[in-house]
Each structure stands twice: as structure tokens, then as C-alpha cells.
Amino acid sequence: MSLLIYAESAEGKFKKVAFELASYAKKVAESLGTTVTAVTVNASDVSELSKYGVDKVLKVTNDKLATFNAKAFADVIKQAAQKEGARVIVLSSTTDSIYLAPLVAVGLEAGYTSNVVGLPLSTSPFQVKRNAFSNKAFNITEISTDIKVLGLAKNSYGLVESSSTLSTEDFSPSLNDADFNVKVENVEKVTGKVTIADAEVVVSGGRGLKGPENWGLVEDLAAVLGAATACSKPVSDLGWRPHSEHVGQTGKPVATNLYIAIGISGAIQHIAGINSSKVKVVINSDPEAPFFKVADYGVVGDAFEIVPKLTQKLKEFKAQNS
């Protein structure tokens, strides 16, 4: 019996969340006295997983799985869990895995809890701490089913190297036509810049920037920090930025190490979607902006003066310390 994770990849390369998941699973497996098995789908090189404690990889190679399909991928994970006799399955909180987890749980008749933010508080009974109420509170959840599915909140554990001896096995799960009833017609991908899903730093802009012609302020600061760019809902609704950059409860939730909000007043839905970020910095000319109440650092002033100076100072700092 081993602990099973699904190590997500894109175009053959593992996403950062795969390594965070492996790091977390390794520690949980130690407390359970077992090993970590990862199931991968069309991943090119799986050896890097050994750096983070994975003991075994079930490699699935199937052209039908070139594009994400929740039902088919859930069936793969279900069959991998049954093959390994896994009683604990750990998934991430990416968009794909949020779709997958309930399907996996139903298929295995397992209990499922999402937004897990730490190692189990107890393994008998099995209890975990998780975010609740749009990240405004925590609760302790007990899973009493024999098989358990955990959804690990993004950036809640980090990367912890723990070298292991890795074994690999080709795995060919049985998939049928019913697994592919949903057909993907088109996939649009952002290229050439850091994506919100993988970013540790996000620089976000709101209506305070007054128009799309001023978005260079956000992009310049993001470039210096190696950050992803994002925006508030009104900005995407106005067409200044694509909806793929809209973060918040009604857009993409983020849990970055650093979130910088420029000209965003801080509607409750926006704050709920970014509240899991570890450090929040707000730049706004309105000292009464709601965002200041949840910010770790706040700057009251004109973004058109502050942001260029901040960008320049960061460039100078990097040049002196490179």
C-alpha cells in the first residue's frame, strides 16, 4: 500500500505544483509508514520527481490524453490507486485537479476534502486543517472513509527536497469511449510569459490605471520581479485585459508568495480570491480603499509616480546584487 499523487505536467514537463505535491506526500507517507507513488500522463522525464521523495512512478503514455479530459484523467487516477492499493490520494488545487478530485473520490467511494493547508493533524482519526469561508477562516476536517482524497491548497507547503531511489513502470489503464464523451475543440494558451497558475509573484492592476494604454506600468514591474500580470474584474469587463488575467473569487484564485495590487480598491470578491497570498502589497491613492485593511504593506499615493520609481529601484538593486 502506498500513497498516490497525480503529478501534473504540460507539454511533457512537470508543473511546479507536482513537486510541491510530492514534497507534501513524502511527509504524509512517512507518518503513515508507507511510500509515495506518482501517476503521470504523457510526461517526458520523470526522474526529477525523485528529488522530492517519490519512490515509484506509474507512467501513462496515451495520445488520447494529449488534451485534458476530467473524466478520462480521473479514471486513470482511480485505476492507479486501485493497482497500488492506495488509501490516501493527494491532488493539487489547480483548475484541472479541482475538476478531477470529486470524480476520483466518487470512483473510489472515498471521502474528499479540498483546500488542505498543512500536514494531517492526526492520522487516527485522520484530521486535516483546511481553508474555509473564502480563506477567511480555517476548519478541522475528519475523514472517516477507508480511502481518502486530499486537495492540497496551492503554495501551502512549498518545495522540500528529499532524494529517493526511483522506480518506474509503464501503466496502461483501461479507457473506453464513455471516458471521452466531452470533446475539446480548441485550447488557447498564453505563451512567452509567466502564467498566473505557476507564478510565485503576481502584479495586478485595476481601474486606477485609467486605461489599457497605461498597462506598461504593470508589465514593467512584473518583468523585473519575474512575475505574472493580472487584473481586477472591472478591468477585464472593460476589455482592457483578457479575462484569463482576471483574479479573484469570480476569476482565478491565487495563493502567491507576493501579490502587488496597483489601483485596485479591493472589492470583497477580489480580496477573497487573493487572500491566501502570503504577502499583499497595495498601492492606491485612496487611503480609505478597503484593500488597505487586509494588506501587509500599503502605499498611499499616485501609482503613476510610485510604480516607475519602484521598478527603477528594483532594477538597480538587481544590478548591484547579480
Side-chain angles (χ1 to χ4, degrees):
M1 182 190 79
S2 65
L3 186 152
L4 183 75
I5 67 170
Y6 164 51
E8 289 190 46
S9 59
E11 298 178 351
K13 296 182 179 180
F14 287 116
K15 299 178 181 178
K16 177 196 165 190
V17 293
F19 304 130
E20 181 175 23
L21 212 62
S23 302
Y24 176 83
K26 176 64 175 178
K27 200 66 178 177
V28 177
E30 287 177 352
S31 67
L32 295 172
T34 187
T35 57
V36 179
T37 296
V39 58
T40 66
V41 177
N42 295 330
S44 302
D45 180 10
V46 302
S47 62
E48 197 169 3
L49 289 173
S50 67
K51 289 172 56 178
Y52 301 95
V54 174
D55 301 288
K56 180 180 178 180
V57 174
L58 297 178
K59 294 179 62 178
V60 177
T61 304
N62 189 325
D63 290 340
K64 287 186 176 181
L65 300 173
T67 302
F68 177 76
N69 178 302
K71 192 173 187 306
F73 276 56
D75 210 1
V76 168
I77 297 167
K78 169 192 168 184
Q79 292 181 48
Q82 291 172 331
K83 178 183 182 301
E84 295 297 301
R87 290 293 176 265
V88 178
I89 297 92
V90 186
L91 304 175
S92 66
S93 291
T94 64
T95 302
D96 288 352
S97 284
I98 286 173
Y99 279 110
L100 281 175
L103 296 174
V104 172
V106 169
L108 293 170
E109 297 184 355
Y112 165 56
T113 186
S114 60
N115 296 322
V116 175
V117 294
L119 296 169
L121 302 176
S122 167
T123 57
S124 183
F126 199 96
Q127 295 179 330
V128 291
K129 182 180 179 180
R130 57 189 297 273
N131 284 326
F133 302 113
S134 298
N135 303 320
K136 294 186 183 69
F138 300 106
N139 69 26
I140 307 302
T141 298
E142 181 176 322
I143 310 175
S144 58
T145 51
D146 183 39
I147 302 175
K148 303 159 183 65
V149 178
L150 308 181
L152 182 66
K154 183 184 174 186
N155 278 342
S156 61
Y157 190 75
L159 304 185
V160 181
E161 293 192 12
S162 178
S163 297
S164 62
T165 301
L166 186 70
S167 65
T168 62
E169 178 182 334
D170 291 331
F171 179 51
S172 300
S174 175
L175 300 174
N176 55 50
D177 291 341
D179 286 320
F180 299 94
N181 283 339
V182 176
K183 302 294 183 183
V184 177
E185 296 291 337
N186 184 46
V187 177
E188 295 183 4
K189 295 183 178 180
V190 176
T191 59
K193 58 182 180 180
V194 181
T195 64
I196 293 172
D198 296 327
E200 294 190 9
V201 180
V202 168
V203 180
S204 190
R207 280 184 296 182
L209 290 175
K210 299 180 180 179
E213 67 277 5
N214 297 317
W215 215 254
L217 289 176
V218 172
E219 292 173 331
D220 290 347
L221 180 56
V224 175
L225 294 170
T229 59
C231 68
S232 62
K233 185 177 186 297
V235 166
S236 62
D237 287 345
L238 289 166
W240 294 1
R241 301 300 296 171
H243 284 281
S244 61
E245 291 191 7
H246 165 207
V247 297
Q249 191 174 32
T250 55
K252 291 182 178 178
V254 296
T256 56
N257 290 328
L258 173 62
Y259 184 83
I260 301 176
I262 303 170
I264 300 175
S265 61
I268 189 170
Q269 295 88 350
H270 187 89
I271 292 173
I274 62 91
N275 208 34
S276 289
S277 294
K278 293 177 181 176
V279 178
K280 295 174 280 291
V281 177
V282 176
I283 301 171
N284 201 297
S285 60
D286 179 8
E288 301 300 320
F291 222 139
F292 284 117
K293 295 179 181 178
V294 299
D296 296 287
Y297 301 94
V299 181
V300 178
D302 187 346
F304 294 98
E305 295 180 6
I306 294 167
V307 176
K309 291 179 180 178
L310 175 60
T311 302
Q312 183 58 37
K313 287 292 184 182
L314 286 169
K315 286 180 179 178
E316 292 171 1
F317 177 82
K318 288 184 70 174
Q320 293 169 3
N321 293 274
S322 60

